[in-house]
Amino acid sequence: MELIKDLPEVFEEFAEQRKNSFLALKKIKDQGTPVVGAYCTYFPREIAMAMGAVTVGLCSTSDETIPDAEKDLPKNLCPLIKSSYGFAVTDKCPFFYFSDVVVGETTCDGKKKMYEYMSDFKNVYIMELPNTQNEAAQKLWKSEIIRFKEYLEEHFETTITDAAVKEAIKEENAVRTALKNLYGVMKYDPAPIKGYDLWKVLYGSGFKFDRKAIPAEINALVDKIEKEYAEGKMEEKKPRILITGCPIGGAPEKVIRAIEDNGGIVVAYENCSGAKSTAELVDEENPDVYDAIAKRYLNIGCSVMTPNPNRLKLLDELIDEFHVDGVVEMTLQACHTYNVETLAIRRFVNEKKGIPYIHVETDYSQADIGQLNTRLTAFLEML
């Protein structure tokens, strides 16, 4: 990225990154490079990277294929699952089409059962994710990571060395550190950029396949933002909002827009693709690379974990560090783990942190935009 580019141009490049990567992935595939698709933040991408594979996120982003999915799946299922399955079964997702293997994980019941149907027409590999974070779970998850490594070696007729895994760990840690530096600029008050522009970079960076190039590109962007901030270029002072809850890429981004179009600014994202996926690094000093990877990934504070103290720990840190005025929790309809956990999050935010909280439940349609605008405007005016 050249520093002479204007920030709006840079943000739009990242916003278009997913679409622009379709052709790039075809070139990668034509060169004989393995492609591993995945659906979750728990996916240990370092293992696939260590054998020279390209990894790509597959969670779908619109309601376009949901009617196709509902021919096989219940209508009252989470829209993220239906969209993912719909794009897969209709072959409308190039990332899914080019994936040599799709890695699923036992997070929620809906995804687990959906993967069974998906395996009828795609090579699907399932990792058994524990739903708690104790020592026994840690051992199980480490064994699953080793089993995944052995599967890749057998399926692609290759060898994954510890040295290659160590290199992948360093590479991905550098990406996480750069992204942490990026969202760290939102600690400034007033904020230097819009939260939606921040989101475009956080989300778009997941579709850049040259992982080694990302840190320099992101760090250059951080330098430019901070330089312009020092020159007095910043957003107006507005209520500072943290978004937590379900994955927010694609259709649910309407929640970000509803906040920022109605007088607020999003300064922190706890969701997948936000702080949740970058807050913790893999321990590069641990000589057991599989133990190090297992500990880092199992510590992710998702609502599928019971109990789930790490989510509260991260929220606690983000609310303080980013001077948050209010918390918006976005959940998807029929996402039972996140919807049940809203009570615990509300209590934590209201009682422990002493700031306002609102929960909005939505789906992948645009039908509730008016209602979202009304509710979030009232919330922001209260702040």
Side-chain angles (χ1 to χ4, degrees):
M1 184 189 302
E2 299 174 8
L3 285 175
I4 57 173
K5 286 185 179 178
D6 292 332
L7 285 178
E9 185 181 354
V10 175
F11 296 141
E12 286 312 308
E13 282 184 6
F14 274 94
E16 293 295 313
Q17 184 61 45
R18 185 175 184 274
K19 192 185 302 180
N20 295 339
S21 295
F22 293 159
L23 287 177
L25 193 62
K26 183 183 185 303
K27 291 179 181 177
I28 288 168
K29 183 77 171 179
D30 289 345
Q31 292 166 0
T33 302
V35 177
V36 178
Y39 283 98
C40 187
T41 312
Y42 285 105
F43 167 63
R45 67 165 69 230
E46 289 90 345
I47 305 301
M49 289 167 61
M51 74 162 192
V54 162
T55 64
V56 63
L58 299 175
C59 275
S60 299
T61 56
S62 79
D63 61 355
E64 176 188 347
T65 62
I66 285 179
D68 294 289
E70 288 177 344
K71 294 174 183 176
D72 295 341
L73 303 177
K75 285 183 168 58
N76 63 346
L77 186 64
C78 160
L80 184 151
I81 298 172
K82 290 190 293 185
S83 177
S84 298
Y85 182 82
F87 273 93
V89 77
T90 60
D91 249 350
K92 289 184 176 179
C93 175
F95 295 143
F96 184 91
Y97 176 81
F98 288 121
S99 293
D100 295 291
V101 59
V102 168
V103 180
E105 72 307 311
T106 55
T107 46
C108 73
D109 292 339
K111 286 173 79 175
K112 284 191 292 189
K113 303 308 291 184
M114 180 270 283
Y115 291 140
E116 292 183 21
Y117 295 128
M118 186 179 284
S119 64
D120 289 341
F121 55 88
K122 192 70 174 181
N123 180 23
V124 178
Y125 180 88
I126 302 296
M127 298 189 72
E128 297 289 340
L129 178 74
N131 291 150
T132 190
Q133 294 165 321
N134 57 27
E135 188 176 343
Q138 168 67 31
K139 290 179 180 177
L140 171 59
W141 189 229
K142 177 184 172 181
S143 71
E144 280 298 291
I145 289 171
I146 293 172
R147 185 171 71 91
F148 176 51
K149 172 244 188 190
E150 292 170 347
Y151 163 81
L152 292 177
E153 289 179 319
E154 180 180 354
H155 184 77
F156 292 98
E157 297 180 347
T158 188
T159 299
I160 298 173
T161 66
D162 284 7
V165 176
K166 285 182 179 179
E167 184 60 31
I169 287 171
K170 289 180 180 178
E171 192 174 307
E172 202 56 28
N173 273 350
V175 173
R176 294 183 184 110
T177 300
L179 291 173
K180 284 176 72 174
N181 291 339
L182 173 64
Y183 68 69
V185 304
M186 301 302 277
K187 294 176 184 178
Y188 291 125
D189 191 6
I193 59 174
K194 286 182 169 60
Y196 194 29
D197 287 333
L198 169 66
W199 179 256
K200 290 171 185 175
V201 182
L202 292 174
Y203 186 65
S205 64
F207 298 98
K208 285 183 173 284
F209 303 132
D210 184 358
R211 305 298 288 177
K212 290 180 180 178
I214 293 176
E217 190 172 2
I218 297 297
N219 289 333
L221 176 58
V222 172
D223 290 343
K224 186 166 182 63
I225 292 170
E226 293 192 327
K227 178 177 180 292
E228 292 195 0
Y229 194 80
E231 294 169 352
K233 294 181 182 178
M234 60 190 69
E235 296 297 307
E236 294 177 24
K237 191 166 176 59
K238 299 174 182 177
R240 300 168 63 83
I241 302 301
L242 177 148
I243 296 182
T244 184
C246 291
I248 206 166
E253 290 173 14
K254 61 188 174 182
V255 176
I256 306 173
R257 294 192 294 270
I259 292 168
E260 301 207 319
D261 289 348
N262 293 290
I265 190 154
V266 180
V267 296
Y269 297 94
E270 182 271 340
N271 321 59
C272 303
S273 299
K276 183 178 292 180
S277 62
T278 57
E280 189 170 334
L281 305 181
V282 178
D283 181 6
E284 295 180 20
E285 302 304 316
N286 188 337
D288 185 339
V289 292
Y290 302 102
D291 180 67
I293 291 172
K295 285 178 178 175
R296 184 268 167 194
Y297 280 93
L298 193 63
N299 278 344
I300 293 171
C302 178
S303 66
V304 298
M305 293 295 167
T306 301
N308 188 19
N310 290 343
R311 184 181 179 197
L312 297 182
K313 179 175 178 289
L314 181 56
L315 282 171
D316 193 17
E317 294 170 358
L318 293 174
I319 288 170
D320 289 347
E321 292 176 11
F322 289 82
H323 317 293
V324 171
D325 297 313
V327 171
V328 174
E329 178 156 24
M330 188 286 295
T331 63
L332 295 170
Q333 291 174 0
C335 181
H336 300 312
T337 58
Y338 270 105
N339 278 312
V340 171
E341 200 166 88
T342 57
L343 175 62
I345 302 304
R346 179 187 297 274
R347 285 173 173 170
F348 176 79
V349 173
N350 287 164
E351 298 171 15
K352 300 291 185 183
K353 304 307 294 180
I355 60 174
Y357 163 100
I358 187 173
H359 169 221
V360 293
E361 185 179 11
T362 188
D363 58 14
Y364 272 26
S365 76
Q366 302 300 305
D368 63 347
I369 287 179
Q371 182 188 44
L372 284 172
N373 282 325
T374 300
R375 291 191 65 206
L376 290 170
T377 297
F379 180 71
L380 292 164
E381 287 176 351
M382 177 187 69
L383 297 179

